[in-house]
């Protein structure tokens, strides 16, 4: 069995991805952006990976952006769909609300209420760092959310293989 990969992408309205946060565990988190967003760099983060986790449409966006078929070659899981099945009565499935349920503290909250500001700040060299920090925190918290809900319900990857995308 290979490693798990967690991804969180940021893209403009025209569906151009400008930032890909990715990690294998809380100590191995990195980002592709600017000139590093290319097919070679993306292929390199997939080495030794057999499962990819995201929250929302990121897998589809990556497939479209890189003209690739991730779902055929990897176990791709949308944690949004899985958590909806595990916890069907939650009032909200926004990542920030799940973070509160799991008692996860977030440093960068300013973009949760205004995603357009994130796009704007990305274009500003003086604020780009904050956009990158926000994306990195999304990747970290995606791992924490997965661990929280899987531990709470005693879920293993074997239990969710039928839910792959």
């Amino acid at each position: 069995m290979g490693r798990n990969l967690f991804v969180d992408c940021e893209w403009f309205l025209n569906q151009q991805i400008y930032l890909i946060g990715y990690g294998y565990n809380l100590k191995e988190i990195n980002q592709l952006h600017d000139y590093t967003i290319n097919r070679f760099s993306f292929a390199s983060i997939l080495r030794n990976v057999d499962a990819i986790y995201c929250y929302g449409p990121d897998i589809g966006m990556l497939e479209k952006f890189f003209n690739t078929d991730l779902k055929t070659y990897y176990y791709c899981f949308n944690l949004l769909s899985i958590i909806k099945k595990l916890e069907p009565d939650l009032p909200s499935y926004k990542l920030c609300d799940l973070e509160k349920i799991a008692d996860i503290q977030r440093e960068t909250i300013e973009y949760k209420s205004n995603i357009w500001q994130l796009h704007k700040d990305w274009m500003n060299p003086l604020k780009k760092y904050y956009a990158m920090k926000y994306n990195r925190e999304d990747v970290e918290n995606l791992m924490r959310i997965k661990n929280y809900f899987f531990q709470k319900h005693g879920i293993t990857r074997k239990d969710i293989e039928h839910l792959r995308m």
Side-chain angles (χ1 to χ4, degrees):
M1 189 181 298
R3 301 196 306 169
N4 292 330
L5 174 67
F6 295 82
V7 295
D8 182 69
C9 304
E10 310 299 342
W11 59 83
F12 297 114
L13 271 179
N14 65 2
Q15 299 185 344
Q16 283 296 114
I17 296 175
Y18 61 87
L19 181 58
I20 301 171
Y22 68 94
Y24 309 99
N25 57 57
L26 290 172
K27 293 180 179 160
E28 290 182 274
I29 297 175
N30 213 325
Q31 293 167 312
L32 299 178
H33 56 90
D34 301 315
Y35 67 89
T36 63
I37 293 186
N38 58 62
R39 291 179 70 75
F40 178 77
S41 295
F42 183 66
S44 73
I45 71 173
L46 296 171
R47 281 194 200 104
N48 301 319
V49 165
D50 75 337
I52 305 172
Y53 292 88
C54 71
Y55 197 84
D58 297 68
I59 297 293
M61 291 299 292
L62 288 167
E63 285 182 321
K64 184 176 180 178
F65 189 79
F66 289 110
N67 191 28
T68 190
D69 181 7
L70 298 172
K71 294 175 199 143
T72 297
Y73 300 103
Y74 302 92
Y75 285 95
C76 294
F77 299 105
N78 182 347
L79 288 173
L80 172 60
S81 302
I82 293 169
I83 292 170
K84 280 184 175 182
K85 287 189 184 309
L86 294 175
E87 302 262 350
D89 297 324
L90 289 180
S92 167
Y93 294 94
K94 290 181 179 179
L95 195 57
C96 61
D97 292 328
L98 297 180
E99 290 169 353
K100 291 174 188 166
I101 290 169
D103 199 29
I104 297 169
Q105 304 303 310
R106 177 176 273 279
E107 287 182 44
T108 56
I109 57 171
E110 60 273 13
Y111 300 122
K112 285 295 178 191
S113 60
N114 186 357
I115 196 69
W116 307 113
Q117 188 63 46
L118 175 70
H119 304 325
K120 216 170 154 181
D121 287 357
W122 178 257
M123 302 303 286
N124 181 339
L126 299 175
K127 295 184 177 183
K128 193 174 195 173
Y129 165 81
Y130 298 106
M132 291 180 72
K133 185 176 179 182
Y134 169 80
N135 173 265
R136 180 184 173 86
E137 199 168 7
D138 271 354
V139 175
E140 290 173 0
N141 290 352
L142 185 61
M143 291 179 205
R144 291 182 174 114
I145 292 290
K146 181 225 176 228
N147 291 340
Y148 173 84
F149 284 99
F150 279 38
Q151 286 173 6
K152 179 180 178 184
H153 292 276
I155 302 295
T156 65
R157 202 198 56 220
K158 195 81 175 150
D159 297 327
I160 62 164
E161 284 182 355
H162 69 285
L163 298 175
R164 74 187 284 186
M165 299 169 77

